[in-house]
Each structure stands twice: as structure tokens, then as C-alpha cells.
Amino acid sequence: MAGDEDMHNNPSYGEHPGNTKHNDGMEMKLRTNGKNGRPRFDSGTAGTTVSCHDISYVVRTKIDGKYGMKTILNNISGVFGPGMNAILGPTGSGKTSLLDVLAARKEPSGLSGDVLIDGKVQPKNFKLVSGYVVQDDVVMGTLTVRENLEFSAALRLPKKVSEGERKERVEDVIKELGLTHCADTKVGTEFIRGVSGGERKRTNIGMELIIKPTVLFLDEPTTGLDASTANAVMHLLARLSKRGRTIIFSIHQPRYTIYRLFDKLHLLSLGNTVYNGPAQEALEYFSSIGYECEPHNNPPDFFLDVINGDSTAVDAVADDMDEEMGKGQSLDSKPLEEEFKKSRYAADLYAASSQILNGLGVKTGAGIQEQLITYPSSFFKQLGQLSKRAVKNIIRNPFLTIIQTTTIILFSLIVGMIYFQLDNSKEYGIQNRIGAFFFLIMQQVFGNMSAIELFIRERNIFVHESASGFYRVSAYFVSKSFCDLLPMRTIPSLFYCTITYWMIGLKANASAFFLYTLTLLLTTYTATGLAFAISSTVSIAGIATLLIAMCYVIMMIFSGLLVNIESLPVWLQWIQYLSIFRYSQNALSIIELKGTKFCGTNDMNMTICTDDGTAYLEVQGIDYSVWGFWQNEVALFCMTMGLLCIAYIQLRRMPKLK
């Protein structure tokens, strides 16, 4: 392996041969001849400098049982130019927070300081024109690598880019990232075997490269990858940086062959800068303040050990110096941030930062700060692409659809057999029908609890894509809702209604069958709407399932069947108006019982049929007039619309910063 050769050929990691050759290609540009297979999407990429000035970030948190303010970043300044810019530090040092601040993906609350792009005020649409690769992969697993890239190109490229140019851009990215051999392979899910971890990571990077960003941010790009795959991914980023791109990434503990690719290194410790400067000079700097890296030690490991104060090599050096100097204080207790402030690297950083700030007054007139967040594609284009992706997702991952349909059909057959061809006897006719209606409604309500995962399963994808300007929240909501309600709710419910109605032997009347189907469809939509509202509010599927089950049970109790509503305290009776069961039970009872005669025998063994169905409705206080029936249907419809609106509002309120 290349990494092993580097370790054996270097007696000490104090030398960094990779950095010199890495900088040689900064002016290199790719050829634009697409026929010879050379990617050309990088041609003309101009370097961009991202700078931050006195960035501080504090959050309100609970400390020792009391709420207080915790400092995440403390007066951080830095200049990140074209090349490989690494933000390194131990867990909890604030490296991801700093990356998010630079990428304009951090809540402004508790944040102070300035972030400039090429010395100008960071534009409001910076999230849309820069690339951001999150730590966890956020690509649709049921789509192929090419289809994921085509989705990004269709929604993120300007309207002036033709369809042919979009396809060419996608092919260029595929070639540049070395994904040609797996371009038509599905990325993979828990049910579908897909591409490797490195290929998945490169696909994530490709989703961002589609828009030719001059700045590419990556949060822990090597997470979840083996050493060899991580090395390949980082070398890919290094090749991109040679063409003038500004690559800024947080990283925890890279191997040496990765470390030597870094141009700029920013070390953090508990939100403070302990080093900012050329990566190849970091060891020399730490040596100058008394921290000597032992031979064959990996520099990133050494830096983290120094910051954490638990390095054996550092302790040994500290003990030797303590003995010579006669001091009782070890080197590990020296505040590293104070040492950095006294160094020439801090002076250089201050000079560069001041120079950028001094030119800000001249450059703000360029109008870059006036750019607004706009979407390159229309609402209907976004709706079409999202619907297309959702349909592919359902077709290629049919497990839930098959289970949903099979379960409903099986349950409808069971209910149909239990209540098969009900008679009109006075003894059992009404009771059996009311019982059948209760079980029909209960199955339609509880049988659609699978909708609870709709916005939870793809939450990370939605947050990242909406933050990066792929689509509007409204387009996503409409497409996901429509593509779930039609194949997963409507079609199975139609089978359910058809089987149960004729097996149970309800009124042999076309209008009655239509109203029966309408009622159960509205019941399904209302139950699904409640699932959507909870799914868009709660991020944990287990908690969401518990909440929706609790809501269903309460609605069941206040349906009027299990307990007489009039017997309950007045301050509780209002809950009946929020019960799906109440409106559905009333509507189905009116459809079947109104005008239905039930027969029995008298003492003289004579058959007598009376309008007991209507009498039952009167006893139960159910308004069986035309208006009374449609009140229940309208109530279910209004509940559905209200719950869908809540779900949409909750999606809009969801923080979209990654």
C-alpha cells in the first residue's frame, strides 16, 4: 500500500514531500474536448477565498442541571484560499461548527463575527452556489449513481442550460469521479445491494460538483470509510483543488498519506485556534514551543495528543525539560491558544485578515450582498422531478407497498368472513353491523400507521437538499404526499371497500356503495394526515409511533360507541369533535341503517319487519338527514386538510442548515 511505503521511507513525518507537488497544479485547466473522454466541467474554475473574522458562537445548554451559555467557538479568524484547507481537532473542539459557519449553515442565534467571500459580504444565496457534502451519505439508495446526478442537474442548473448540456455535465462528473463502471448501479438500501462506501461518498460529492461550485465544504469526508477508500476519496479532492477550487473540510484523524495533501491546517481546541498556517510547517511550529513529534508518529495523531494532553511522547519531552529547568509545571498545561497568539503565524493571520477587512468598504459596492435566494427551476419542474423520483423509489423498493396491500386484502377477507352476509334479524342485525363498522374503521386507521415514516425516513435527505436549493418545501410536500396517498393508501383502500362491502352483504345499492367507499377513503386520508403531521414534527420513528397510537386510542374512546359521551364530564366532551372514529361510525351507520327494516317474530310466530335502523339512529342521537350525513364527510375532509397543513408548516419550520 502507498501509505505503508510512505511510512517506511520517511524516518520522521517532519518532511512533507506531497505539499510541494500539490501546489504545482493550481493554474491547471482541463481541456474542453468532450469527445476524447476528458471531463470539462472544471474548466475555467476561479479560485475563491473564504475568510472569517472574530467568529464566536455560543449556545444555551444544560450544564450540571442548570441552563447556561456554552462557548462553541471563541474569536476564531482564518483565511481559506484555493487548495486543501483542513480543519482538525478532537471531538468537541468545534470543527464542524466552524465549517457550518463558513458555509452559512448555522443558526444566527448566538453567532457573531463576519464571514467574507473574496473580501465581500457573504451573499444570502451562498448556500445555493457553494457545495456542501454532509458527513452521512444523503443520496437516494433506490436510484442509480447516474440518476442521482441527473436529479441534481435537473433541479440545480439554470434554465438556460439545455437538456443535452445537462447530460454532458453529468457524464463529465461521472468520469472525473471515476464512477463510470458503476454509473448504472443502484446506490443501495437496507434491502438493495448497491455500490461500495467509497463510490457512495463520491456520488455525494458529485451531487455538489454538478453546479461547479468554486467552494466545496465537506464534513468528515472519511467517516465510515476504510483506510484505503478514505485515501482514494481525499486524493480525488486534492485533484479537484489543483484546478483552483477551494476545498474546506473538517477531519478527525487522517492517515499520513492524507495529511500530506493538506495545504492549509487550522487546529482547534475547545473552540480556540491553536494553529493556523501551512500544513507542512505545523510540526516545526509545535517543535518551537516545546512539543517534539517522535519518529514514525503520524502528525495528526501527534497534534490531537498535544491538544488532549495525553501523548506519551509529549509527556517524556515535558519530563526531561522539567528536570532540566527545575519547573513543576508540565508542557501539557500550557495554554496552546496563548502560545499561538504570540507566534508569527498569528501575526501573519492578523495581517491577512486586516488586509481583507480594510478592502471591504470598497468591495461592498459590487452588489454581491444583494443577491437573493432563488431557485433555478420552477415549482412544476421541481414537482415533476420529485414525483418521478418518488415513483421510482416505490417501484424499486416494493416491500412496503406489497406488505401494505397484502395486509389490507387479508384483513378485508377476515372481516368479510366473520360478518359474512349479515341478516336483518332484530336480535343481531344492528349489533353485528355496528360491530363490523367499528372494525372496518379501526383497520383503516391503524392499518395506515406506516405513513408515520414518510418524512422521518428521508429527513436527512430533505434537510440537505432543501438547504442546498434543490427544491421548494411545497414541491417536496405535494409530491411526497400525492405519491404516498395514491399507491399506498387509495388503491389498497379501494380493494378493501369492494371486498368487505359485498362479503358483509350491506345494501345492494350503487349509491350506498359509493358513499361507503367515500367514507372509508376519507377515514384513510384523515388517519394518514395525522401520521404526516406527527412524522414532520418528530424525528424518531419509535416516539412518533407511540404518539399516533395514543391519538388513535383516545379517538376510539370518544367515538360514542365504547362510552356514552353524555356521561362524561362536560370539559371532556369536546374531544369527540376530534375523533375520526366518531365521524366515520356515524356516516357508515347512516348509510346502512337509515330506512333499513329488521325483522323478528312475535308471540304468535308471525314475522314482523319494522324500521328499527332509523329508530336506532334516533336513540343514538345521530342526525340522519342529508345534511347530517354530509356533516360527517365534510368534518373528515376538513380534518384531513388541517392535518396536511400542519405537516407542511412543520416541514417549513424544520431547520434546514445541512
Side-chain angles (χ1 to χ4, degrees):
M1 294 177 62
D4 295 334
E5 293 177 2
D6 289 326
M7 290 179 64
H8 292 299
N9 293 337
N10 288 278
S12 172
Y13 284 168
E15 298 176 4
H16 303 276
N19 287 291
T20 55
K21 65 178 181 180
H22 178 65
N23 292 327
D24 293 339
M26 296 297 288
E27 301 299 327
M28 186 177 76
K29 299 182 183 298
L30 289 177
R31 297 179 184 178
T32 58
N33 184 3
K35 296 181 179 180
N36 61 7
R38 293 179 180 270
R40 60 181 183 177
F41 71 97
D42 257 330
S43 60
T45 300
T48 296
T49 299
V50 180
S51 60
C52 59
H53 309 269
D54 298 323
I55 295 294
S56 292
Y57 180 55
V58 296
V59 295
R60 180 177 172 82
T61 186
K62 201 171 186 179
I63 305 174
D64 296 331
K66 298 180 180 179
Y67 283 99
M69 304 306 292
K70 180 180 179 181
T71 300
I72 306 299
L73 298 174
N74 183 25
N75 291 323
I76 300 295
S77 295
V79 179
F80 306 88
M84 295 282 282
N85 299 270
I87 302 175
L88 186 66
T91 301
S93 61
K95 54 184 182 294
T96 298
S97 295
L98 177 58
L99 187 77
D100 290 344
V101 170
L102 296 174
R105 293 175 184 248
K106 182 64 70 177
E107 288 282 1
S109 177
L111 183 63
S112 62
D114 300 298
V115 176
L116 305 180
I117 310 300
D118 284 332
K120 306 174 216 177
V121 176
Q122 192 177 47
K124 294 180 180 179
N125 68 337
F126 185 66
K127 289 189 296 184
L128 309 187
V129 297
S130 60
Y132 191 102
V133 180
V134 295
Q135 182 174 348
D136 299 320
D137 297 327
V138 285
V139 288
M140 190 64 68
T142 53
L143 302 186
T144 66
V145 171
R146 177 177 280 108
E147 287 171 340
N148 273 293
L149 297 178
E150 287 175 345
F151 176 79
S152 179
L155 296 183
R156 303 181 75 186
L157 293 180
K159 299 176 183 178
K160 62 182 181 181
V161 179
S162 66
E163 189 66 26
E165 291 174 325
R166 294 175 194 270
K167 291 183 179 180
E168 189 174 3
R169 181 78 63 85
V170 170
E171 293 302 320
D172 287 342
V173 172
I174 289 174
K175 292 174 184 176
E176 175 65 17
L177 299 182
L179 296 171
T180 305
H181 66 287
C182 63
D184 296 310
T185 303
K186 296 182 182 67
V187 173
T189 65
E190 62 269 28
F191 303 112
I192 302 174
R193 183 176 177 85
V195 300
S196 67
E199 291 163 344
R200 180 187 290 265
K201 181 65 70 175
R202 280 181 275 163
T203 303
N204 276 269
I205 296 173
M207 296 280 283
E208 304 303 318
L209 293 182
I210 285 290
I211 61 173
K212 294 184 180 179
T214 57
V215 183
L216 180 63
F217 298 94
L218 302 100
D219 184 16
E220 300 279 4
T222 59
T223 297
L225 304 178
D226 60 75
S228 179
T229 304
N231 189 48
V233 169
M234 296 306 294
H235 273 80
L236 165 67
L237 295 175
R239 289 198 302 270
L240 294 175
S241 70
K242 290 177 183 179
R243 301 182 187 113
R245 288 189 190 278
T246 301
I247 310 290
I248 306 175
F249 54 92
S250 63
I251 195 164
H252 182 64
Q253 206 165 2
R255 59 191 283 186
Y256 174 66
T257 52
I258 292 177
Y259 170 74
R260 69 177 187 174
L261 299 174
F262 301 167
D263 294 307
K264 191 75 170 289
L265 179 64
H266 194 111
L267 279 174
L268 290 175
S269 174
L270 297 177
N272 294 286
T273 299
V274 296
Y275 178 76
N276 179 280
Q280 64 270 26
E281 298 179 17
L283 285 177
E284 180 183 349
Y285 163 72
F286 276 94
S287 176
S288 69
I289 61 173
Y291 297 94
E292 195 72 40
C293 181
E294 62 181 356
H296 305 291
N297 192 4
N298 185 19
D301 294 337
F302 168 73
F303 298 146
L304 295 183
D305 286 340
V306 172
I307 292 173
N308 291 325
D310 58 0
S311 170
T312 304
V314 171
D315 288 342
V317 173
D319 292 339
D320 291 342
M321 293 190 66
D322 287 344
E323 291 178 4
E324 293 177 4
M325 301 171 64
K327 294 181 180 179
Q329 182 181 14
S330 68
L331 287 173
D332 289 334
S333 63
K334 295 175 65 177
L336 296 175
E337 61 272 18
E338 295 299 327
E339 290 289 345
F340 174 71
K341 290 178 182 179
K342 296 184 292 184
S343 69
R344 67 177 179 85
Y345 296 100
D348 292 342
L349 174 60
Y350 177 77
S353 177
S354 299
Q355 184 178 4
I356 293 173
L357 287 175
N358 291 336
L360 179 61
V362 178
K363 295 185 178 181
T364 50
I368 190 169
Q369 71 274 22
E370 298 177 2
Q371 298 180 24
L372 301 176
I373 297 178
T374 57
Y375 293 93
S377 54
S378 66
F379 169 83
F380 293 103
K381 177 67 176 294
Q382 296 170 5
L383 181 62
Q385 290 294 325
L386 286 164
S387 300
K388 180 180 177 181
R389 185 175 73 169
V391 170
K392 286 183 178 180
N393 190 34
I394 293 173
I395 293 174
R396 295 175 182 178
N397 190 20
F399 181 75
L400 288 178
T401 308
I402 293 174
I403 291 296
Q404 179 77 11
T405 305
T406 303
T407 302
I408 285 185
I409 292 176
L410 180 62
F411 196 90
S412 64
L413 291 173
I414 294 174
V415 174
M417 288 187 291
I418 293 174
Y419 296 98
F420 186 74
Q421 296 299 309
L422 294 176
D423 58 28
N424 284 8
S425 65
K426 284 189 176 182
E427 292 82 3
Y428 309 113
I430 294 178
Q431 179 184 358
N432 287 345
R433 282 169 170 78
I434 296 301
F437 295 156
F438 179 78
F439 278 103
L440 289 169
I441 296 167
M442 185 174 65
Q443 197 284 328
Q444 287 297 84
V445 170
F446 283 93
N448 288 285
M449 286 181 63
S450 60
I452 200 71
E453 294 187 356
L454 184 70
F455 298 119
I456 295 178
R457 189 170 56 249
E458 297 179 8
R459 180 177 293 257
N460 290 338
I461 294 178
F462 164 69
V463 169
H464 172 69
E465 290 180 344
S466 58
S468 299
F470 279 72
Y471 43 71
R472 298 167 176 84
V473 176
S474 56
Y476 176 81
F477 176 75
V478 172
S479 67
K480 291 296 292 183
S481 300
F482 179 78
C483 291
D484 182 86
L485 287 174
L486 181 60
M488 299 288 290
R489 317 299 161 194
T490 304
I491 295 177
S493 293
L494 291 176
F495 284 116
Y496 182 77
C497 294
T498 303
I499 294 172
T500 56
Y501 192 86
W502 301 110
M503 286 189 69
I504 293 174
L506 302 177
K507 282 183 178 179
N509 183 295
S511 61
F513 172 70
F514 170 77
L515 294 176
Y516 170 88
T517 303
L518 175 64
T519 301
L520 288 184
L521 280 177
L522 287 174
T523 302
T524 298
Y525 295 156
T526 309
T528 304
L530 178 60
F532 286 177
I534 295 177
S535 176
S536 61
T537 304
V538 181
S539 60
I540 302 175
I543 296 177
T545 302
L546 181 64
L547 287 176
I548 196 170
M550 187 184 304
C551 292
Y552 287 160
V553 170
I554 293 174
M555 289 180 177
M556 190 188 306
I557 294 173
F558 284 85
S559 64
L561 180 65
L562 301 180
V563 63
N564 191 302
I565 302 297
E566 298 296 330
S567 66
L568 296 174
V570 177
W571 58 274
L572 279 178
Q573 293 182 11
W574 63 272
I575 301 179
Q576 64 179 309
Y577 300 109
L578 301 178
S579 174
I580 301 174
F581 287 84
R582 174 180 180 268
Y583 296 117
S584 300
Q585 187 83 28
N586 288 352
L588 293 178
S589 298
I590 294 171
I591 295 170
E592 177 63 19
L593 299 181
K594 180 181 178 181
T596 302
K597 297 183 181 297
F598 293 88
C599 303
T601 57
N602 59 12
D603 295 338
M604 301 176 63
N605 204 28
M606 296 177 59
T607 301
I608 299 176
C609 297
T610 57
D611 194 1
D612 290 335
T614 303
Y616 172 83
L617 296 175
E618 291 178 350
V619 170
Q620 295 297 319
I622 300 174
D623 184 0
Y624 54 85
S625 64
V626 175
W627 168 240
F629 167 76
W630 285 105
Q631 269 185 325
N632 296 291
E633 306 293 284
V634 171
L636 289 173
F637 177 79
C638 290
M639 286 182 68
T640 301
M641 293 296 102
L643 290 169
L644 290 178
C645 288
I646 292 174
Y648 172 68
I649 292 171
Q650 290 299 94
L651 283 181
R652 288 195 62 90
R653 293 181 64 248
M654 192 181 298
K656 303 173 187 64
L657 298 169
K658 286 294 185 76

